[in-house]
């Protein structure tokens, strides 16, 4: 690790750790760097809040229709905050110490080459547990790696290692995910490869067994009212068969994601909440975009598939015209409406039962 990476890592850690715990790790070292780290944390969380708002409210910027529709109001109480922050911007909770972390967070990284002659890729854990009936062929042994941030703050060696066994997950390509069992434990955890790049939508679906592994939650749509205000509408119980036929049937669609392109130009119309419990993913996104694209952050990195405007428009029309929706109106503790465009997504109490692709 270079000095630059160490500096950045320390700043990130200090920004999340309660002052009391830092003082325990490094008594008397209340330096200017720690004050900078605190400011860095506030800036970072500001960016997190902005991204979270964009994930839901960014969709309200687009997509006009010939007819004006209205939906019943569903009030959502409370003022959402950035994760781990109070209204003042301070950290609500100290970062857990090493011994307080579950084992999959302690040793969260392994290196594995899925094919002969291939350079090892970094696989990481999100906490998804793999049942024994999904454990396949053994792939070998490896040293899982971890990083004790408190040790780093105290000037001690932060690297941690633990022996582990690797196996395939049945029905899922080892290019995408593998199962890891730490020495001395019985559980198997799913580790995913964020660097996996499918060539086509069909390959993506097959490699991840998405027809069986994915479950869908609500669909969100944003638009501008005639008053000029933005609104977000939530649709529950959208037919999964329609999702499959409209958005996932163009199996030959190529993945056009470009690692060098930092900004996505097509704009989002609908966002579908997606869970993949086996891999530890909850409430990630399948986006329906203008210009006939769908996008997703499954496996942590963006994938873009051009399925055609005929399919995307048909799905948008189906959701808006045939599905039951509720306009989300955020209200404060005093019952006063607040602008949804300034809020992160807050789930209302009506929770739909997720459905699979099949």
């Amino acid at each position: 690790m270079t000095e630059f990476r160490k500096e950045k890592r320390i700043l990130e850690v200090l920004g999340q750790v309660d002052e009391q715990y830092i003082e325990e790790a490094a008594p008397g070292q209340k330096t200017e760097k720690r004050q900078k780290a605190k400011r860095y944390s506030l800036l970072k969380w500001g960016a997190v809040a902005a991204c979270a708002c964009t994930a839901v409210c960014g969709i309200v910027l687009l997509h006009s229709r010939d007819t004006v529709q209205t939906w019943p109001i569903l009030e959502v109480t409370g003022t959402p905050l950035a994760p781990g922050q109070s209204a003042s911007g301070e950290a609500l909770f100290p970062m857990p110490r090493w011994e307080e972390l579950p084992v999959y967070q302690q040793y969260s990284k392994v290196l594995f080459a899925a094919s002969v002659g291939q350079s090892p890729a970094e696989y990481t854990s999100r906490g998804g547990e793999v049942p024994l009936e999904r454990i396949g062929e053994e792939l070998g042994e490896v040293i899982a790696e971890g990083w004790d941030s408190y040790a780093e703050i105290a000037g001690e060696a932060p690297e941690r290692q633990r022996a582990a066994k690797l196996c395939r997950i049945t029905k899922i390509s080892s290019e995408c995910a593998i199962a890891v069992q730490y020495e001395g434990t019985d559980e198997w955890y799913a580790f995913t490869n964020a660097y996996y790049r499918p060539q086509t939508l069909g390959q993506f679906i097959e490699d991840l067994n998405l027809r069986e592994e994915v479950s869908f939650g609500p669909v969100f749509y944003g638009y501008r009212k005639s008053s000029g205000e933005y609104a977000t509408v939530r649709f529950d119980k959208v037919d999964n068969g329609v999702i499959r036929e409209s958005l996932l049937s163009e199996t030959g669609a190529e993945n056009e994601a470009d690692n060098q392109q930092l900004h996505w130009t097509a704009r989002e119309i609908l966002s579908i909440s997606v869970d993949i419990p086996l891999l530890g993913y909850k409430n990630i996104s399948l986006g329906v975009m203008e210009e006939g694209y769908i996008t997703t952050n499954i496996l942590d990195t963006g994938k873009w598939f051009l399925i055609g405007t005929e399919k995307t428009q048909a799905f948008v029309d189906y959701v808006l015209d045939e599905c039951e929706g509720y306009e989300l109106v955020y209200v404060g503790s005093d019952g006063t409406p607040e602008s949804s465009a300034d809020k992160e997504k807050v789930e209302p109490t009506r929770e739909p039962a997720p459905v699979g692709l099949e």
Side-chain angles (χ1 to χ4, degrees):
M1 175 177 290
T2 64
E3 291 302 317
F4 173 80
R5 283 188 61 193
K6 288 183 179 178
E7 178 83 359
K8 182 175 182 293
R9 176 82 179 184
I10 292 172
L11 288 175
E12 290 175 343
V13 170
L14 288 175
Q16 300 175 53
V17 179
D18 188 89
E19 290 290 323
Q20 172 189 347
Y21 289 83
I22 299 176
E23 189 64 26
E24 291 178 10
Q29 296 183 23
K30 191 168 185 178
T31 64
E32 181 182 355
K33 180 180 294 185
R34 287 170 56 190
Q35 297 303 314
K36 290 181 180 178
K38 193 171 184 179
R39 291 195 295 271
Y40 174 86
S41 175
L42 299 184
L43 290 172
K44 180 183 68 174
W45 280 122
V48 169
C51 291
C53 182
T54 302
V56 174
C57 301
I59 63 176
V60 305
L61 301 175
L62 316 159
H63 194 66
S64 60
R65 289 173 60 83
D66 296 333
T67 58
V68 177
Q69 293 176 259
T70 58
W71 289 274
I73 299 297
L74 183 61
E75 291 189 346
V76 181
T77 305
T79 302
L81 299 169
Q85 286 195 323
S86 66
S88 65
E90 297 293 334
L92 291 177
F93 306 104
M95 184 180 63
R97 292 184 173 278
W98 175 263
E99 59 273 14
E100 298 170 345
L101 296 171
V103 65
Y104 65 83
Q105 288 184 354
Q106 289 179 328
Y107 306 95
S108 60
K109 182 178 76 172
V110 300
L111 296 177
F112 172 70
S115 302
V116 177
Q118 185 182 67
S119 297
E122 181 177 301
Y123 288 67
T124 56
S125 172
R126 301 178 64 91
E129 289 196 33
V130 184
L132 286 177
E133 60 268 23
R134 296 295 302 275
I135 299 300
E137 171 193 359
E138 186 171 338
L139 298 172
E141 297 181 350
V142 72
I143 298 298
E145 300 178 8
W147 191 273
D148 185 345
S149 297
Y150 276 99
E152 182 180 24
I153 294 168
E156 303 170 357
E159 296 88 351
R160 300 288 183 267
Q161 296 183 334
R162 186 165 181 173
K165 183 188 298 183
L166 307 181
C167 281
R168 295 188 187 275
I169 302 174
T170 60
K171 302 182 181 181
I172 291 181
S173 169
S174 58
E175 296 276 358
C176 303
I178 54 177
V180 174
Q181 183 186 59
Y182 300 103
E183 184 179 51
T185 66
D186 297 324
E187 297 80 10
W188 290 90
Y189 293 97
F191 276 57
T192 57
N193 176 16
Y195 301 95
Y196 163 78
R197 294 290 184 272
Q199 294 183 344
T200 65
L201 178 58
Q203 180 189 356
F204 186 52
I205 292 171
E206 292 299 322
D207 283 354
L208 272 172
N209 191 33
L210 290 181
R211 292 185 179 87
E212 297 181 16
E213 307 300 342
V214 161
S215 61
F216 294 123
V219 175
F220 294 90
Y221 168 68
Y223 71 104
R224 186 193 292 270
K225 295 183 175 181
S226 57
S227 63
E229 296 179 341
Y230 295 123
T232 301
V233 181
R234 168 178 170 145
F235 298 89
D236 296 333
K237 301 179 182 178
V238 176
D239 190 325
N240 65 91
V242 177
I243 295 177
R244 181 180 67 245
E245 181 60 31
S246 298
L247 305 181
L248 301 174
S249 61
E250 197 67 31
T251 55
E254 295 185 2
N255 177 22
E256 298 187 14
D258 183 352
N259 295 335
Q260 305 304 316
Q261 184 174 334
L262 300 180
H263 300 288
W264 173 238
T265 55
R267 298 175 295 181
E268 190 172 64
I269 304 169
L270 296 176
S271 177
I272 306 170
S273 179
V274 172
D275 291 351
I276 308 181
L278 181 71
L279 302 181
Y281 289 101
K282 182 175 177 60
N283 197 28
I284 53 180
S285 174
L286 173 65
V288 181
M289 318 295 287
E290 291 184 341
E291 303 178 20
Y293 283 91
I294 60 171
T295 70
T296 183
N297 59 346
I298 294 174
L299 295 188
D300 304 318
T301 49
K303 295 146 186 81
W304 312 332
F305 303 98
L306 180 60
I307 65 170
T309 54
E310 182 178 348
K311 287 183 177 292
T312 56
Q313 188 62 55
F315 181 73
V316 170
D317 290 341
Y318 158 71
V319 171
L320 300 186
D321 296 336
E322 301 183 36
C323 298
E324 182 181 31
Y326 298 86
E327 180 184 339
L328 302 184
V329 174
Y330 298 92
V331 296
S333 56
D334 59 355
T336 304
E338 300 179 353
S339 170
S340 64
D342 296 329
K343 304 298 176 187
E344 294 181 59
K345 183 172 73 174
V346 174
E347 296 293 346
T349 55
R350 295 179 73 256
E351 287 298 332
V355 293
L357 281 169
E358 292 290 66

